[in-house]
Amino acid sequence: EAGVAQSPRYKIIEKRQSVAFWCNPISGHATLYWYQQILGQGPKLLIQFQNNGVVDDSQLPKDRFSAERLKGVDSTLKIQPAKLEDSAVYLCASSPVGPAFHTEAFFGQGTRLTVV
Amino acid sequence: GESVGLHLPTLSVQEGDNSIINCAYSNSASDYFIWYKQESGKGPQFIIDIRSNMDKRQGQRVTVLLNKTVKHLSLQIAATQPGDSAVYFCAENRGSGGSYIPTFGRGTSLIVHP
């Protein structure tokens, strides 16, 4: 079974520029997550979708970050404008069941963003 | 605030030794925990999980122990191999409005010396 696909793998941008990340979850997975992982820290959840609806986005900096999951499959995460502190690895994950159930998450390799 | 955390940031062991990685949690309502392994340049990978109605669960070379009294988890790796070198995270599923939010701790870096 194919895993979670993310692109690009690496991105370097200047502060105040915009950037977008793309995620294709495992086929049939209802729940999709975006995490931010700063170097030396654990992943921090930014947003959680069930199909194309938002379940939780309480930790998403909505003044600059946005995410969507049109048609309940692929998802994009956008940062506009980027700040230096946004430098991190952005991880996408998916799980086969809805967020009301306990299950593991399957992670992609992540996109490493460097803001200079 | 309530959080999932780890006691030791780095653990160094010799190949063949047993490794024990610890994790403390503070949300007494948490009832599901997962251990993930993250190798350099990769996303976290599921190792083993445990529900709060269990004290112990075993997998291949790994055992997770849960002590609800002191809100403590541990991951035991038997006969540690160089391929086990990675960062290990414990995560808890926190309930939020009818959904569960996977919440990670900081992680422990395991270094296995040949």
Side-chain angles (χ1 to χ4, degrees):
Chain A
E1 146 179 286
V4 176
Q6 290 188 248
S7 67
R9 284 297 314 277
Y10 306 94
K11 190 73 176 179
I12 301 174
I13 62 171
E14 295 183 347
K15 59 184 178 184
R16 291 187 288 275
Q17 285 188 324
S18 302
V19 65
F21 313 124
W22 173 82
C23 172
N24 180 229
I26 294 172
S27 178
H29 279 199
T31 303
L32 184 146
Y33 314 84
W34 282 103
Y35 283 85
Q36 178 193 60
Q37 186 174 23
I38 293 171
L39 185 65
Q41 299 182 18
K44 183 184 85 170
L45 182 70
L46 294 175
I47 189 166
Q48 180 180 9
F49 292 94
Q50 180 179 9
N51 298 314
N52 61 350
V54 175
V55 173
D56 186 276
D57 64 356
S58 57
Q59 298 194 85
L60 187 73
K62 299 180 187 61
D63 58 332
R64 297 185 301 105
F65 286 65
S66 64
E68 59 184 9
R69 191 185 183 197
L70 298 177
K71 301 180 182 178
V73 182
D74 293 5
S75 178
T76 56
L77 176 69
K78 297 179 181 178
I79 307 175
Q80 180 180 7
K83 294 184 176 182
L84 296 176
E85 59 261 36
D86 297 332
S87 294
V89 175
Y90 291 85
L91 294 162
C92 179
S94 67
S95 64
V97 298
F101 300 91
H102 289 310
T103 184
E104 67 187 273
F106 295 80
F107 283 83
Q109 290 190 302
T111 296
R112 180 176 297 278
L113 173 68
T114 303
V115 182
V116 298
Chain B
E2 295 182 326
S3 64
V4 175
L6 298 179
H7 292 303
L8 297 173
T10 303
L11 177 64
S12 292
V13 301
Q14 291 295 127
E15 181 179 0
D17 287 352
N18 296 332
S19 302
I20 300 176
I21 300 171
N22 296 304
C23 175
Y25 66 95
S26 56
N27 187 343
S28 57
S30 294
D31 59 2
Y32 180 66
F33 304 88
I34 305 173
W35 281 99
Y36 286 94
K37 172 186 180 183
Q38 187 174 27
E39 297 175 281
S40 181
K42 297 183 179 180
Q45 180 182 17
F46 173 89
I47 301 173
I48 192 168
D49 60 359
I50 189 167
R51 295 179 183 265
S52 60
N53 61 353
M54 303 172 70
D55 297 324
K56 179 180 180 178
R57 191 163 189 219
Q58 289 184 293
Q60 186 177 14
R61 286 201 304 118
V62 295
T63 301
V64 56
L65 299 178
L66 175 61
N67 186 330
K68 295 180 285 295
T69 302
V70 296
K71 290 182 280 189
H72 182 269
L73 277 166
S74 67
L75 177 70
Q76 301 178 0
I77 305 173
T80 313
Q81 302 169 1
D84 296 326
S85 293
V87 177
Y88 290 81
F89 295 96
C90 67
E92 63 177 317
N93 272 14
R94 293 189 178 179
S96 175
S99 302
Y100 290 107
I101 309 297
T103 305
F104 285 74
R106 183 181 172 191
T108 292
S109 176
L110 176 65
I111 300 170
V112 182
H113 300 283

